Each structure stands twice: as C-alpha cells, then as structure tokens.
Amino acid sequence: MTRTLTVRKSTGGNKFSEGWHTATVSTAKYGDWNDTKFLDVCFEGYSDKMNMRVYAKEGKNGEEFAIGNIFRFANAGISDGLEGADGNVTIKLDDSAEALIGKEVNIFLYKDGDYSRVLPQIAPVSFKNIVEEFSDYDVLYWKSRAEKFFNEYIKPKLNTTAAPIQE
C-alpha cells in the first residue's frame, strides 16, 4: 500500500501566537467608559472581539499621549510638525478614528487564560514622514518599551490557568 503525507512548513507561529505581529488596522472607533475616553482598534484577519482598547492618558503637562501615540506610530493623520525653541516637535494631526484605517503597525499578542489579547501599546513599522523617521532600530526600541510595560504591569495580573478540558 502506498500513502502520501503532506507536511506543512511553518514560519514559526501563526497570527495568534504570542509575540509581535505586523497588522493592518481594519476599524477604529472612539468610546467613553466612566468618563474616560478610549479608542478601540481592530485588525485585518483578526476577530473584532480581539480589539486593542487604548484609554486616554494625560502627562504632567496636560497633553494626552496614549491615544496620540497610536496615531504617531501608525503614521496616521499627521499633517505638520512645529519645532519649539527647546528642540521638541509638536505634531499636528487629524485624530479621527478613520485616519487609522489601512495603517500598518506592530502589535504584541499575549495569552490571558484561553484567550489571545492585544497589548494596548504598539510599535511603529519603519517609515519616514514630514515630522520624523522610524528606522528598524527605532522599531526595536519601541517594541522593547512595550514589552517592559507588559512585563511590569500586565503579566503579573494575567490569568495563567486555562479552563479545564471538558470530557
């Protein structure tokens, strides 16, 4: 008897495996929870239930940065930059949720029990716009910053026990 067997070649994981993945924004929308503004972002090829929710956070200067960094790292809606006397650049951007659609970013997936979740911090892909440039080295830097956030604030709170298998 002769048999054939097809062995699929793996590239080291699927789109739901833990770690970094390059993804394209499919939808984005703003919302409000307990008087805190948030942005929900979904990605092509992933369920809408596997969204990334980013809550607005303000720095000491009163400027919102968490949602703003999503637009910055996605190269979305950026129309101008003004350099200040201190050398810092103020970015002018259209922060409508629609400006994110079709933009490519790096997302970090992690397991929380039986579910895969998207870390609410992204890293850019390499690009250059009228305000700044992100090289491959810069991308690695921002990935490491997000991983540090994950390890310090998210990982200790994870549900590490998966649901038992029902027989």
Side-chain angles (χ1 to χ4, degrees):
M1 174 182 264
T2 304
R3 177 187 307 235
T4 63
L5 177 66
T6 302
V7 178
R8 294 183 185 204
K9 299 223 174 187
S10 174
T11 59
N14 64 35
K15 68 180 181 178
F16 296 105
S17 62
E18 290 184 287
W20 288 100
H21 300 268
T22 301
T24 303
V25 176
S26 60
T27 63
K29 63 181 177 181
Y30 283 102
D32 188 89
W33 185 76
N34 286 345
D35 294 326
T36 301
K37 190 175 188 179
F38 66 81
L39 177 68
D40 271 340
V41 182
C42 297
F43 303 95
E44 291 179 8
Y46 295 90
S47 166
D48 287 349
K49 293 179 182 176
M50 197 171 159
N51 65 313
M52 176 181 70
R53 179 168 284 184
V54 180
Y55 287 93
K57 294 182 181 132
E58 290 184 1
K60 293 176 184 174
N61 63 357
E63 186 175 78
E64 195 288 325
F65 64 88
I67 293 173
N69 275 336
I70 300 301
F71 285 85
R72 176 185 176 207
F73 292 159
N75 193 20
I78 297 171
S79 61
D80 200 4
L82 303 169
E83 190 167 342
D86 59 1
N88 292 328
V89 176
T90 300
I91 299 173
K92 180 180 177 186
L93 60 88
D94 167 13
D95 68 348
S96 64
E98 295 78 24
L100 288 166
I101 297 172
K103 297 298 183 176
E104 194 173 66
V105 296
N106 285 301
I107 59 173
F108 185 82
L109 300 183
Y110 62 93
K111 290 287 188 182
D112 186 5
D114 291 333
Y115 301 98
S116 293
R117 303 212 186 273
V118 182
L119 187 70
Q121 288 189 4
I122 62 172
V125 296
S126 296
F127 69 81
K128 181 178 182 176
N129 62 26
I130 61 173
V131 177
E132 61 189 335
E133 178 177 1
F134 289 105
S135 67
D136 290 341
Y137 178 79
D138 297 320
V139 171
L140 290 175
Y141 170 79
W142 287 107
K143 283 181 176 181
S144 71
R145 291 274 311 256
E147 288 175 29
K148 182 178 184 217
F149 170 80
F150 171 75
N151 287 322
E152 290 179 7
Y153 299 102
I154 304 296
K155 193 173 185 177
K157 299 175 187 174
L158 291 179
N159 176 9
T160 56
T161 57
I165 298 174
Q166 300 292 323
E167 293 185 26

